[in-house]
Amino acid sequence: MRIGVVLMPTETWPDTMAEAQRLDRLGYDHLWVYDHLSWRHYRNGPWHATYPWLAAVAATTERIRLGTMVSNLNVRHPLTLAKDAMTIDQISGGRLILGLGAGGLGYDAEALGQDPLTPGQRVDRLAEATDLLDGLLRLETEDHDGDWYTVKGARLLPGCAQQPRVPFAVAAGGPKALAVAARHGEAWVTFGDTSGAETSAAGAEAVVARQSAQLDDALDAVGRSRDSIDRILLMGHSEARPLASLETFRDFAGRHAELGFTDLVFHLPSDDPAWNDPPEIVDEIAEAFLTP
């Protein structure tokens, strides 16, 4: 089981650098950042730009993989997103994971003056964006004229450090988005019930088990083996508190490994009531599960 951490882009650069380097030294497998212009109750506080933040973290860490949880298509065009991803992959020496999602509602959905999209429209946009990003990052696409995006004469030289392109981690909860993950994803990301209706610990576990089974069906449909894709669970979106102690984390990790999950990601403990787990759990998990 690989383990990663979400580090919010809210702190000063010296504090951020120190924390990223500590997670790198402790042996965590990946470090993630949300991609928003601002987000929820952080709306009126510090919130740094995602890709400059990731580029700086890439330049000051050595081995930990870095990713977006997830790139926000409400505010990202695939061409400029591909250029940013290519550049950070080069800076990091091939450590970027490009998280991709359909985008949600809230401030980002209207920040550029656009009307919010329906869930179906957002998934259709995700499908086209993922297809387009795949071609751009493989240096196979220069022009594109689709329902959502137009590209003319794209150049993404020198290309990604990772070949044929950076790996995609596609966030998906429903069948249409899971089909996108099955077609293009090196990894699949879920946090549970995308409607937010099921928040109990047992209910959330049942939801991700059902989603994983649907992903199996989607992989079968495109001729991919079921073990050809990593399965990443973003923790912290249910009433379960797996970071309360090392034993609760061990139990949580074991149950989800049995469901086929290969990776767990938790939010760095902080003063935020949503993530106010004991801070010492970060070191305890590293000592018990990770090899620096």
Side-chain angles (χ1 to χ4, degrees):
M1 179 72 75
R2 291 179 294 268
I3 304 172
V5 179
V6 172
L7 192 59
M8 294 291 193
T10 56
E11 304 306 316
T12 65
W13 171 239
D15 288 345
T16 293
M17 179 175 62
E19 192 59 61
Q21 290 175 340
R22 182 174 81 99
L23 294 169
D24 195 14
R25 289 193 305 271
L26 286 172
Y28 278 91
D29 295 288
H30 26 70
L31 185 157
W32 305 84
V33 60
Y34 287 158
D35 184 25
H36 295 286
L37 300 179
S38 63
W39 188 63
R40 295 187 182 178
H41 56 280
Y42 294 89
R43 180 82 170 91
N44 295 316
W47 189 274
H48 298 295
T50 300
Y51 281 91
W53 190 97
L54 267 182
V57 171
T60 54
T61 53
E62 296 180 358
R63 44 149 299 279
I64 195 168
R65 294 186 68 83
L66 311 168
T68 47
M69 188 64 75
V70 288
S71 296
N72 182 355
L73 293 177
N74 285 331
V75 297
R76 304 286 176 199
H77 188 285
L79 178 55
T80 52
L81 175 57
K83 197 77 164 182
D84 287 344
M86 177 204 75
T87 301
I88 293 174
D89 199 47
Q90 290 283 346
I91 292 169
S92 68
R95 290 185 284 131
L96 182 70
I97 305 167
L98 183 57
L100 299 170
L105 299 177
Y107 172 71
D108 289 340
E110 303 177 62
L112 302 183
Q114 72 272 45
D115 293 328
L117 303 179
T118 67
Q121 288 174 320
R122 293 199 299 273
V123 175
D124 288 343
R125 181 180 64 180
L126 171 65
E128 183 177 328
T130 307
D131 287 342
L132 177 53
L133 282 161
D134 181 65
L136 289 168
L137 289 167
R138 292 176 187 271
L139 307 183
E140 296 173 355
T141 298
E142 295 184 1
D143 301 288
H144 173 85
D145 187 11
D147 294 331
W148 296 97
Y149 302 106
T150 299
V151 171
K152 295 182 179 180
R155 290 289 186 276
L156 267 83
L157 300 173
C160 300
Q162 299 173 88
Q163 289 295 312
R165 59 161 170 74
V166 298
F168 292 172
V170 180
K176 288 178 66 176
L178 286 164
V180 177
R183 188 166 64 251
H184 284 305
E186 282 71 38
W188 161 59
V189 179
T190 183
F191 61 82
D193 184 2
T194 55
S195 74
E198 184 53 82
T199 59
S200 71
E205 194 168 318
V207 167
V208 298
R210 182 171 65 250
Q211 291 172 339
S212 189
Q214 291 174 327
L215 178 63
D216 286 341
D217 293 340
L219 290 164
D220 292 344
V222 295
R224 289 183 64 182
S225 65
R226 295 181 176 187
D227 62 358
S228 66
I229 188 168
D230 293 334
R231 300 175 192 231
I232 302 172
L233 177 64
L234 175 61
M235 301 156 56
H237 291 270
S238 77
E239 295 168 6
R241 296 303 296 260
L243 299 185
S245 71
L246 186 60
E247 287 310 307
T248 57
F249 181 82
R250 193 187 305 276
D251 178 67
F252 185 92
R255 293 200 315 274
H256 286 81
E258 291 177 359
L259 295 176
F261 283 89
T262 59
D263 298 72
L264 297 177
V265 177
F266 63 83
H267 299 79
L268 186 75
S270 69
D271 294 335
D272 189 320
W275 332 117
N276 62 351
D277 298 289
E280 59 270 19
I281 194 65
V282 177
D283 293 273
E284 292 172 0
I285 289 172
E287 183 176 353
F289 287 89
L290 305 174
T291 302

